[in-house]
Amino acid sequence: EGEIAICQKNNQSFMFKVSAETDFAVRSERFQENMKMFQEKLSKELFTFTFNYSGEVAALEDCNAFCALEGATLKENITFDIEFLNAFQDEKIFSYLHSNKKIGVLVKLRISPNMDANQTIDPIDDISPQSFFDSTLNELGNNIAMQIASMNPIVINIGQLPEDLVNRQKNICEEQYAASQKSGRVVAVVSETIIKGKMKKWHSEVALLEQECIWKSKCNIQKAISDVEKELNCKIEVVEFIKMEI
């Protein structure tokens, strides 16, 4: 049990969670007051630093110590965890917090304008080009954050998958195919084609850019990003994401 909170200011963001063993502690008025206190204290101290944090930062030590004290008082284990994300030039951070406060996401996009100097942004109605750019980008970033929360990718693209994980999954696919052959005979060409298909399906589950959009039918994330790039005349790259879950 527990809750997650997200705090953002300019190009700095952090997300933290306080976890407890039972909902008795989480549902108490005292727990909610403590969550607010953590947000205020962390925001006040952490947003005055650059993103070179360590356990020596007083605010983090105070939160950990307070959780230990609360745990001792309630006689259960209460823990505090925090993650940071910093945006540099041409980058922007988007977030998603589920209504039950048990799933939180931070995702960083890098935006490189003027991919084609001859192309201009064509806004709708009377919206200014900058407003159209901002609203379209914000919609994409928020949707991607929600996608991560819902579909739980483990990497951004296929190239980031660890080799040992890919080999292990390929072995699983091969074993599944072999077991499905009643005769026990495996035709190499057919086997290779089917295994490639199984691996492609797996890629579409674990790699964010290969996943099918939850907000746009018959379209994966990479295609959705490409469509917005054309709309806004820019290059958009998913740089990093962090997900917390209770």
Side-chain angles (χ1 to χ4, degrees), residues 129-145:
Q130 187 60 52
S131 295
F132 178 76
F133 184 97
D134 292 342
S135 62
T136 304
L137 181 64
N138 288 342
E139 183 179 10
L140 175 68
N142 292 334
N143 281 335
I144 291 176

Side-chain angles (χ1 to χ4, degrees), residues 6 35 79 121 137 155 179 203 219:
I6 295 175
M35 287 293 291
T79 59
I121 298 174
L137 181 64
V155 294
H203 289 155
C219 177

